[in-house]
């Protein structure tokens, strides 16, 4: 089947998609967007998190056909051209990226939290990111990155 969708603001199409394929597979293997990571493929790790019609979802759990005609934003779509999004920049500056496998999903989840407009407490950050597993950082640097991003979000909410 053919899937057409708006991906990171552009009309995209994938042909010969098998009914059992996930949105994650289509994004990575058919649309050349490897930012969203495939770690568990079972909805357990959050590394594949993307926005689907403005809701953060695990792309590994979304059947490709469910994405037909919808709007998807991946981690690649957060950056403003060549300039990292402030959330991305905060993760770099705080040292919250080690192997980086969890990072794309964490960035979408952190973006989703901060776009609510209210500065989250540490407990709220932990709760919001609870579905995103990281084996490397111990999470403290990730918390630090979200605090830093929240500071900047207040100055430039977008
Ligand atoms: S790869 Fe989708 S939740 Fe782990
Ligand atoms: S940085 Fe390696 S899993 Fe999070």
């Amino acid at each position: 089947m053919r899937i057409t969708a708006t991906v990171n603001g552009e009309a995209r199409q994938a042909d010969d998609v098998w009914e059992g394929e996930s949105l994650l597979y289509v994004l990575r293997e058919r649309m050349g967007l490897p930012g969203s990571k495939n770690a568990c493929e079972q909805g357990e790790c959050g590394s594949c998190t993307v926005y689907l019609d403005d809701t953060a979802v695990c792309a590994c759990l979304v059947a490709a056909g469910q994405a037909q005609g919808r709007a998807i934003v991946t981690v690649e779509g957060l950056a403003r051209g060549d300039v990292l999004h402030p959330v991305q920049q905060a993760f770099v500056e705080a040292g919250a990226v080690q192997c980086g496998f969890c990072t794309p999903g964490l960035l979408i989840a952190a973006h989703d939290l901060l776009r609510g407009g209210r500065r989250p407490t540490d407990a709220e950050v932990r709760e919001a990111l609870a579905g995103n597993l990281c084996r490397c950082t111990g999470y403290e640097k990730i918390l630090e990155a979200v605090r830093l991003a929240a500071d900047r979000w207040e100055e430039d909410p977008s």
Side-chain angles (χ1 to χ4, degrees):
M1 64 180 163
R2 170 176 290 178
I3 302 293
T4 56
T6 302
V7 182
N8 297 332
E10 291 180 13
R12 298 291 304 266
Q13 158 179 326
D15 288 320
D16 301 324
V17 175
W18 171 59
E19 284 79 355
E21 277 179 28
S22 67
L23 172 60
L24 179 61
Y25 185 90
V26 170
L27 291 170
R28 288 178 53 83
E29 308 299 334
R30 296 190 184 276
M31 294 186 173
L33 292 166
S36 312
K37 295 292 180 274
N38 181 358
C40 72
E41 235 175 345
Q42 295 181 3
E44 298 289 342
C45 73
S47 66
C48 62
T49 307
V50 301
Y51 285 120
L52 178 65
D53 282 350
D54 222 27
T55 298
V57 298
C58 290
C60 70
L61 295 183
V62 176
Q66 291 177 284
Q68 172 59 35
R70 300 175 75 180
I72 298 150
V73 177
T74 70
V75 69
E76 288 95 339
L78 290 185
R80 299 152 175 181
D82 289 339
V83 180
L84 291 178
H85 186 281
V87 177
Q88 294 171 307
Q89 187 63 36
F91 268 65
V92 172
E93 289 179 31
V97 182
Q98 288 189 27
C99 81
F101 223 80
C102 66
T103 308
L106 277 163
L107 288 169
I108 296 285
H111 182 276
D112 194 28
L113 173 67
L114 295 177
R115 70 182 177 151
R118 192 174 55 79
R119 190 187 179 84
T121 64
D122 281 0
E124 287 168 333
V125 175
R126 286 182 188 281
E127 186 178 341
L129 303 186
N132 294 79
L133 305 184
C134 176
R135 289 173 179 264
C136 304
T137 63
Y139 297 99
E140 199 46 52
K141 296 284 187 191
I142 291 169
L143 266 179
E144 205 177 298
V146 177
R147 287 187 205 112
L148 181 58
D151 288 343
R152 292 180 181 169
W153 202 282
E154 285 175 344
E155 296 162 17
D156 178 15
S158 57

